[in-house]
Amino acid sequence: METALDQQVHQELMDARTDPAQSCGVARTLQVLDGKWTTLIVRELLAGPLRFTQLRSALGDISAKTLTDRLRALEHQGILTRTIHAEVPPRVVYELTEQGRSLQVVLHAMLRWGRAHPA
Protein backbone atom coordinates (compact mmCIF):
# COMPACT_ATOMS: atom_id res chain seq x y z
CA MET A 1 0.00 0.00 0.00
CA GLU A 2 1.46 3.33 -1.09
CA THR A 3 1.43 6.14 1.48
CA ALA A 4 0.89 9.82 0.81
CA LEU A 5 4.62 10.36 1.42
CA ASP A 6 5.48 7.66 -1.15
CA GLN A 7 3.20 9.38 -3.66
CA GLN A 8 4.75 12.78 -2.95
CA VAL A 9 8.31 11.43 -3.31
CA HIS A 10 7.39 9.67 -6.55
CA GLN A 11 5.79 12.83 -7.94
CA GLU A 12 8.82 14.97 -7.05
CA LEU A 13 11.13 12.49 -8.79
CA MET A 14 8.95 12.46 -11.89
CA ASP A 15 8.72 16.27 -11.94
CA ALA A 16 12.50 16.56 -11.74
CA ARG A 17 12.82 14.25 -14.76
CA THR A 18 10.35 16.04 -16.98
CA ASP A 19 10.69 19.74 -16.10
CA PRO A 20 14.03 21.19 -17.26
CA ALA A 21 13.26 24.40 -15.38
CA GLN A 22 13.46 22.46 -12.12
CA SER A 23 16.84 21.62 -10.73
CA CYS A 24 17.09 17.89 -10.18
CA GLY A 25 18.09 17.20 -6.59
CA VAL A 26 19.22 13.66 -7.46
CA ALA A 27 21.66 15.00 -10.05
CA ARG A 28 22.96 17.61 -7.59
CA THR A 29 23.47 14.99 -4.88
CA LEU A 30 25.35 12.75 -7.32
CA GLN A 31 27.47 15.73 -8.35
CA VAL A 32 28.56 16.18 -4.73
CA LEU A 33 28.84 12.50 -3.80
CA ASP A 34 30.86 11.75 -6.91
CA GLY A 35 31.93 8.13 -6.56
CA LYS A 36 32.73 5.69 -3.83
CA TRP A 37 35.61 7.56 -2.20
CA THR A 38 33.81 10.87 -1.86
CA THR A 39 30.83 9.23 -0.18
CA LEU A 40 33.09 7.29 2.19
CA ILE A 41 35.07 10.44 3.06
CA VAL A 42 31.84 12.16 4.08
CA ARG A 43 30.86 9.06 6.07
CA GLU A 44 34.15 9.16 8.01
CA LEU A 45 33.92 12.90 8.68
CA LEU A 46 30.39 12.55 10.09
CA ALA A 47 32.10 11.22 13.23
CA GLY A 48 34.08 14.45 13.60
CA PRO A 49 37.18 16.27 12.33
CA LEU A 50 40.07 14.15 11.05
CA ARG A 51 43.58 14.65 9.78
CA PHE A 52 44.68 13.45 6.34
CA THR A 53 46.48 10.37 7.69
CA GLN A 54 43.51 9.43 9.87
CA LEU A 55 41.19 9.64 6.88
CA ARG A 56 43.53 7.61 4.70
CA SER A 57 43.84 4.90 7.36
CA ALA A 58 40.08 4.76 7.87
CA LEU A 59 39.44 4.40 4.13
CA GLY A 60 41.88 1.59 3.47
CA ASP A 61 43.40 1.40 0.01
CA ILE A 62 42.77 4.94 -1.25
CA SER A 63 45.82 6.59 -2.80
CA ALA A 64 47.12 9.88 -1.41
CA LYS A 65 46.44 11.57 -4.76
CA THR A 66 42.84 10.38 -4.92
CA LEU A 67 42.20 11.43 -1.32
CA THR A 68 43.76 14.86 -1.96
CA ASP A 69 41.68 15.34 -5.12
CA ARG A 70 38.43 14.35 -3.39
CA LEU A 71 39.13 16.55 -0.36
CA ARG A 72 39.83 19.55 -2.61
CA ALA A 73 36.61 18.98 -4.55
CA LEU A 74 34.56 18.71 -1.35
CA GLU A 75 36.18 21.87 0.02
CA HIS A 76 35.43 23.71 -3.24
CA GLN A 77 31.77 22.60 -3.03
CA GLY A 78 31.45 23.83 0.56
CA ILE A 79 31.00 20.34 2.01
CA LEU A 80 34.08 20.47 4.25
CA THR A 81 36.61 22.90 5.61
CA ARG A 82 40.38 22.50 5.70
CA THR A 83 42.07 24.12 8.68
CA ILE A 84 45.85 24.47 8.79
CA HIS A 85 47.26 24.83 12.30
CA ALA A 86 50.52 26.78 12.50
CA GLU A 87 52.65 24.09 14.09
CA VAL A 88 55.83 22.31 13.15
CA PRO A 89 55.07 20.18 11.28
CA PRO A 90 51.83 21.85 10.14
CA ARG A 91 48.65 20.07 11.23
CA VAL A 92 45.80 20.02 8.71
CA VAL A 93 42.31 19.08 9.89
CA TYR A 94 39.26 18.36 7.73
CA GLU A 95 35.76 18.91 9.07
CA LEU A 96 32.28 18.85 7.54
CA THR A 97 30.43 22.13 7.19
CA GLU A 98 26.74 22.38 8.08
CA GLN A 99 25.97 21.60 4.44
CA GLY A 100 28.23 18.55 4.63
CA ARG A 101 26.62 17.33 7.85
CA SER A 102 23.23 17.57 6.16
CA LEU A 103 24.33 14.66 3.93
CA GLN A 104 23.95 12.39 6.96
CA VAL A 105 20.32 11.67 6.06
CA VAL A 106 21.38 10.67 2.53
CA LEU A 107 24.07 8.32 3.80
CA HIS A 108 21.67 6.90 6.40
CA ALA A 109 19.16 6.14 3.63
CA MET A 110 21.95 4.42 1.66
CA LEU A 111 22.90 2.41 4.75
CA ARG A 112 19.31 1.27 5.30
CA TRP A 113 18.90 0.33 1.65
CA GLY A 114 22.22 -1.56 1.57
CA ARG A 115 21.31 -3.55 4.68
CA ALA A 116 17.86 -4.38 3.31
CA HIS A 117 19.28 -5.49 -0.07
CA PRO A 118 22.57 -7.32 0.54
CA ALA A 119 24.57 -8.45 -2.48
Side-chain angles (χ1 to χ4, degrees), residues 35-51:
K36 163 185 153 179
W37 292 121
T38 304
T39 305
L40 295 177
I41 290 166
V42 172
R43 180 197 66 189
E44 291 304 320
L45 290 173
L46 282 168
L50 293 171
R51 296 175 70 173

Side-chain angles (χ1 to χ4, degrees), residues 34-41 52 55-56 59-75 80 94:
D34 178 30
K36 163 185 153 179
W37 292 121
T38 304
T39 305
L40 295 177
I41 290 166
F52 184 90
L55 268 172
R56 191 162 180 211
L59 294 170
D61 62 349
I62 188 171
S63 72
K65 181 187 180 329
T66 299
L67 180 55
T68 299
D69 291 346
R70 298 301 187 269
L71 289 169
R72 285 182 182 155
L74 288 167
E75 182 181 15
L80 61 80
Y94 298 91

